[in-house]
């Protein structure tokens, strides 16, 4: 028993000594493994310059030189890739021309809206006379309430400075519209004759329909009906967009047109809305406007008489208070139309609207409109902003059931809110809002939600106009037609509207840098400066994972083999039997 215990203690001492001598060898082995790993990677990597750093026969000066060059290339390449990333991230959209031209029969003929500058025929209601009566405090009391209300209603469509500040602030929108209809010319008094595609029409009522705008009661051609343009369930029941619908919506020939998809392939040539069928005067719209000199008013809209005309998208509400061209009296105006169409590739759908600068139909909901366009969005935004500032809206604006209609006493507020909306939009765009501007409160919140970007598919119509004298009396004389006293003071104006060309070039938004383009740019820079490729990525992953595992596994096997050679008795000799007492 004593001899056995003495041999056991000696064995434990020998094992402790062996472990103490083995520890530094293991640490040295680990350091050698990391160094071997780095030398192995640099010597075998396909990146340019790294093999010179790992080669043993290279001097330290050479290794420092190649390390410096490799580091410079990495930094320079990273800076250039950063510029490519910024360009891809901030301006990924490019606007270019489409590969093929678009024929005009694939797009709708422009909607044509016409307004008369004289808002009240002088033979029905002498606006100039009642203006002076209303302005004078003595004669003001002599006017009946009906006359005062009618005068105040008309000032809503006249120049802003004519609206009396002491007038009513609010009124019944339906009553205001009815008063304006009573004093303005009806369609038979407004139009003398019409032709569509060189075919005379018995009555212009087959083409034009009364429409309610900010400029009063006007007449429009080829505009979408209220059911197709508006969410009628969200509108005030007294808001009157179109007095009558020209298109018979129950007809089987009706083909629905959409801004994004255009006309269906099965749509006939004559469809709804009317499409362009050619170019030139004989393929367009011609109409003759008329008025009497005795009915002209030079106070409401100033000294310039005649008609306002606007060409617009059929899916947009016309705003003749903002955009128009004139058709003067005793003049013929020839309008050559050049369409401008913008489309957007589906590859831009993953980008944010703020990046691509447009909205797809499903991305922006309008409360009053079914069709999103920038113009419709701006009208709705102006309506909400005006209501937030003034507590009412202009009768020509689409508005909801709970909104009241402004009258003459609120015209100044309407004008001010329009200017404020423009100012707020600019300030929010430039991000220069200050604490002083925050006093707008709810109105500013309404304006900040506007962000009326263009629709990703949009159509505009540019008009090239020319005009000449229209001497109808000389024409009557040439045909030996007697000019009666009833038409002696008649004033005429003729307008011809047609497409200038049979085809036009469409603009298209597309990706400046797609994912493939970005990868190709980065790969080109990495390959130019460093010889980098996809296999280099695989190589790095290999050295960071599989290679390390293999080195560790190999070292462990080598260590095990060394231990087996050092201490063969622990492996080959049988276990000692237990001593029997």
């Amino acid at each position: 028993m004593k001899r056995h215990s003495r041999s056991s203690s000696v064995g434990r001492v020998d094992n402790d000594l062996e472990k103490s001598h083995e520890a530094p060898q293991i640490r040295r082995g680990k350091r050698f493994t990391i160094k071997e790993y780095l030398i192995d990677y640099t010597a075998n990597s396909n990146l340019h310059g790294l093999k010179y750093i790992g080669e043993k026969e290279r001097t330290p000066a050479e290794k420092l030189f190649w390390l410096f060059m490799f580091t410079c290339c990495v930094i320079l390449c990273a800076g250039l890739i950063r510029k490519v990333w910024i360009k891809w991230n901030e301006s990924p959209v490019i606007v270019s021309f489409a590969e093929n031209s678009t024929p005009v029969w694939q797009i709708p003929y422009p909607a044509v809206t016409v307004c008369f500058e004289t808002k009240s025929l002088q033979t029905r209601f002498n606006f100039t006379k009642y203006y002076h009566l209303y302005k004078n405090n003595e004669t003001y009391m002599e006017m009946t309430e009906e006359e005062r209300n009618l005068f105040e209603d008309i000032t809503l469509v006249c120049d802003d400075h004519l609206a009396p500040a002491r007038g009513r602030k609010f009124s019944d929108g339906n009553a205001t519209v009815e008063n304006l209809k009573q004093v303005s010319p009806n369609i038979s008094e407004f139009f003398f004759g019409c032709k569509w595609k060189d075919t005379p029409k018995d009555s212009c009522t087959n083409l034009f329909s009364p429409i309610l705008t900010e400029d009063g009661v006007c007449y429009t051609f080829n505009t979408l009906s209220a059911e197709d343009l508006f969410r009628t369930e969200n509108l005030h029941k007294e808001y009157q967009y179109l007095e009558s619908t020209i298109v018979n919506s129950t007809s089987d020939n009706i083909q629905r047109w959409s801004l994004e998809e255009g006309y269906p392939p099965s749509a006939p040539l004559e469809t709804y809305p009317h499409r362009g069928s050619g170019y030139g005067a004989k393929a367009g719209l011609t109409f003759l406007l008329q008025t009497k000199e005795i009915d002209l008013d030079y106070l409401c809209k100033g000294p310039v008489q005649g008609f306002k005309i606007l060409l617009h998208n059929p899916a947009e509400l016309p705003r003749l208070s903002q955009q128009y061209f004139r058709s003067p009296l005793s003049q013929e105006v020839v309008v050559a139309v050049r369409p401008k169409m913008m489309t957007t590739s589906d590859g831009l759908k993953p980008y944010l609207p703020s990046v691509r600068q447009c909205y797809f139909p499903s991305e922006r909901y309008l409360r009053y409109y079914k069709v999103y366009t920038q113009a419709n969005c701006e009208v709705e935004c102006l309506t909400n902003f005006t209501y937030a500032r003034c507590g009412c809206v202009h009768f020509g604006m689409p508005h909801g059931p709970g909104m009241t209609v402004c009258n003459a006493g609120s015209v100044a507020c309407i004008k001010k809110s329009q200017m404020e909306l423009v100012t707020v939009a600019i300030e929010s765009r430039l991000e220069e809002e200050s604490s002083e501007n925050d006093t707008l409160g709810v109105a500013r919140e309404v304006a900040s939600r506007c962000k009326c970007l263009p629709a990703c598919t949009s159509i505009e119509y540019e008009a090239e106009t020319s005009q000449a004298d229209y001497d109808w009396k000389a024409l009557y004389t040439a045909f030996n037609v007697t000019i009666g006293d009833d038409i002696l003071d008649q004033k005429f104006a003729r307008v011809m509207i047609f497409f200038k060309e049979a085809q036009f070039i469409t603009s298209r938004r597309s990706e400046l840098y797609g994912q493939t383009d970005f990868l190709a740019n980065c790969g080109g820079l990495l390959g130019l400066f460093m010889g980098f490729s996809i296999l280099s990525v695989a190589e790095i992953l290999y050295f960071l994972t599989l290679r390390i595992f293999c080195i560790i596994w190999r070292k462990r096997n080598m260590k095990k083999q060394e231990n087996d050679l050092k201490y063969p008795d622990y492996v080959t000799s049988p276990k000692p039997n237990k001593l029997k007492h």
Side-chain angles (χ1 to χ4, degrees):
M1 289 295 294
K2 291 181 182 180
R3 184 178 301 173
H4 175 71
S5 63
R6 188 164 48 250
S7 61
S8 300
S9 61
V10 172
R12 284 196 299 270
V13 171
D14 292 340
N15 289 337
D16 293 340
L17 290 173
E18 289 175 358
K19 289 181 179 180
S20 63
H21 288 293
E22 188 180 8
Q25 292 179 0
I26 294 175
R27 287 195 293 270
R28 285 197 298 270
K30 288 184 178 179
R31 288 197 295 271
F32 177 76
T33 302
I34 296 174
K35 181 179 179 181
E36 182 186 55
Y37 166 73
L38 293 175
I39 292 175
D40 187 20
Y41 172 72
T42 55
N44 295 285
S45 175
N46 60 8
L47 295 180
H48 297 334
L50 282 184
K51 64 179 181 178
Y52 301 116
I53 301 174
E55 290 179 349
K56 295 181 179 180
E57 62 271 13
R58 301 290 175 182
T59 63
E62 290 178 301
K63 293 182 179 181
L64 288 175
F65 170 77
W66 283 110
L67 181 61
F68 173 76
M69 292 301 300
F70 182 80
T71 305
C72 290
C73 287
V74 170
I75 295 173
L76 182 59
C77 187
L80 294 176
I81 290 177
R82 180 176 177 274
K83 290 183 179 180
V84 174
W85 163 258
I86 292 174
K87 191 173 184 179
W88 180 50
N89 189 49
E90 295 183 356
S91 57
V93 181
I94 184 173
V95 178
S96 59
F97 292 115
E99 296 81 3
N100 301 315
S101 58
T102 303
V104 294
W105 53 264
Q106 288 187 358
I107 64 170
Y109 189 85
V112 182
T113 303
V114 186
C115 284
F116 190 23
E117 287 284 30
T118 298
K119 303 304 177 184
S120 173
L121 300 180
Q122 297 296 279
T123 54
R124 294 182 184 172
F125 186 83
N126 193 327
F127 180 82
T128 304
K129 170 187 173 182
Y130 282 99
Y131 170 78
H132 294 289
L133 292 176
Y134 193 99
K135 189 177 180 181
N136 191 313
N137 291 330
E138 295 180 0
T139 55
Y140 171 82
M141 300 304 300
E142 298 176 2
M143 297 172 62
T144 64
E145 183 179 358
E146 182 180 356
E147 291 173 337
R148 286 196 293 266
N149 291 345
L150 182 55
F151 173 79
E152 291 171 359
D153 290 341
I154 297 174
T155 58
L156 294 174
V157 293
C158 294
D159 292 337
D160 295 335
H161 67 276
L162 298 177
R166 62 179 175 180
R168 294 168 296 163
K169 291 187 177 296
F170 313 109
S171 65
D172 184 356
N174 191 31
T176 298
V177 174
E178 291 300 324
N179 285 338
L180 291 176
K181 288 180 180 178
Q182 291 177 8
V183 298
S184 61
N186 57 44
I187 193 167
S188 61
E189 297 170 329
F190 199 92
F191 290 90
F192 187 81
C194 298
K195 284 198 305 183
W196 170 240
K197 296 181 180 179
D198 206 34
T199 302
K201 299 296 181 180
D202 296 334
S203 174
C204 290
T205 55
N206 296 329
L207 295 177
F208 286 86
S209 180
I211 185 174
L212 187 64
T213 69
E214 293 177 321
D215 219 41
V217 180
C218 302
Y219 296 89
T220 189
F221 164 77
N222 207 37
T223 301
L224 292 184
S225 64
E227 292 76 15
D228 295 326
L229 180 58
F230 290 107
R231 304 184 192 275
T232 53
E233 66 278 6
N234 295 334
L235 291 176
H236 199 289
K237 62 180 181 180
E238 294 181 355
Y239 175 71
Q240 303 177 17
Y241 168 59
L242 283 174
E243 183 177 294
S244 61
T245 303
I246 301 171
V247 180
N248 182 10
S249 58
T250 61
S251 174
D252 295 334
N253 295 326
I254 295 301
Q255 299 289 336
R256 297 299 175 186
W257 165 82
S258 66
L259 192 58
E260 293 74 28
E261 302 296 333
Y263 290 100
S266 59
L269 184 60
E270 285 297 333
T271 183
Y272 161 77
H274 296 289
R275 70 162 90 199
S277 59
Y279 71 102
K282 293 187 177 181
L285 176 69
T286 302
F287 51 91
L288 190 62
L289 304 171
Q290 64 177 350
T291 187
K292 292 184 178 180
E293 189 171 359
I294 193 175
D295 283 327
L296 299 180
D297 173 66
Y298 292 91
L299 181 62
C300 178
K301 300 296 286 187
V304 180
Q305 292 299 308
F307 304 90
K308 288 181 177 179
I309 302 176
L310 176 63
L311 308 181
H312 57 96
N313 186 334
E316 291 179 353
L317 183 70
R319 298 187 65 189
L320 285 97
S321 60
Q322 303 293 328
Q323 304 174 29
Y324 59 89
F325 64 88
R326 290 188 184 276
S327 174
L329 298 175
S330 302
Q331 295 280 313
E332 180 189 58
V333 178
V334 178
V335 184
V337 181
R338 301 187 65 178
K340 287 178 59 180
M341 186 173 181
M342 178 74 74
T343 60
T344 303
S345 66
D346 292 337
L348 289 177
K349 284 186 177 180
Y351 294 90
L352 294 175
S354 58
V355 175
R356 73 173 104 91
Q357 288 296 298
C358 71
Y359 284 116
F360 283 100
S362 60
E363 293 179 329
R364 185 66 187 268
Y365 173 85
L366 296 179
R367 182 182 179 187
Y368 305 132
Y369 295 92
K370 290 181 179 178
V371 182
Y372 177 86
T373 67
Q374 187 175 21
N376 290 344
C377 177
E378 289 173 350
V379 172
E380 182 168 311
C381 180
L382 179 61
T383 300
N384 296 331
F385 189 80
T386 303
Y387 184 74
R389 295 291 289 143
C390 306
C392 59
V393 297
H394 193 278
F395 70 86
M397 299 176 179
H399 52 279
M403 295 183 178
T404 56
V405 175
C406 298
N407 209 282
S410 301
V411 169
C413 182
I414 295 176
K415 182 180 179 180
K416 183 179 179 181
S417 62
Q418 290 178 350
M419 298 304 298
E420 284 183 357
L421 180 60
V422 175
T423 303
V424 169
I426 295 174
E427 289 178 350
S428 60
R429 189 70 179 269
L430 298 176
E431 298 181 354
E432 294 179 352
E433 297 182 5
S434 62
S435 57
E436 296 179 0
N437 293 331
D438 292 338
T439 56
L440 294 178
V442 177
R444 173 166 291 280
E445 293 181 4
V446 173
S448 64
R449 293 196 297 266
C450 290
K451 297 180 181 178
C452 294
L453 299 175
C456 288
T457 301
S458 61
I459 301 177
E460 297 178 359
Y461 301 91
E462 290 185 346
E464 297 180 3
T465 62
S466 60
Q467 61 189 58
D469 293 335
Y470 185 78
D471 194 347
W472 68 272
K473 293 181 180 179
L475 180 65
Y476 270 49
T477 303
F479 279 99
N480 294 324
V481 177
T482 303
I483 301 176
D485 295 336
D486 56 333
I487 63 170
L488 189 61
D489 68 337
Q490 200 83 3
K491 298 286 185 180
F492 289 96
R494 187 164 71 174
V495 182
M496 303 173 66
I497 303 174
F498 53 86
F499 284 116
K500 185 177 182 179
E501 298 173 348
Q503 298 172 332
F504 65 97
I505 301 298
T506 303
S507 299
R508 182 175 179 83
R509 292 187 189 90
S510 56
E511 288 180 288
L512 176 61
Y513 282 117
Q515 294 181 355
T516 304
D517 300 320
F518 177 72
L519 183 63
N521 275 273
C522 295
L525 291 171
L526 290 169
L528 176 65
F529 285 93
M530 303 168 59
F532 193 88
S533 66
I534 295 296
L535 291 178
S536 302
V537 178
E539 185 180 76
I540 293 173
L541 293 176
Y542 162 71
F543 274 95
L544 290 177
T545 55
L546 184 59
R547 183 63 176 166
I548 294 176
F549 173 78
C550 291
I551 290 174
I552 295 174
W553 180 79
R554 186 179 62 185
K555 290 295 182 183
R556 286 181 177 176
N557 285 343
M558 291 175 61
K559 182 180 177 182
K560 183 178 180 182
Q561 292 175 3
E562 290 176 358
N563 290 336
D564 291 343
L565 293 174
K566 273 186 179 182
Y567 311 105
D569 295 338
Y570 289 99
V571 180
T572 59
S573 61
K575 294 180 181 180
N577 295 327
K578 292 183 179 180
L579 296 176
K580 296 180 180 180
H581 296 280

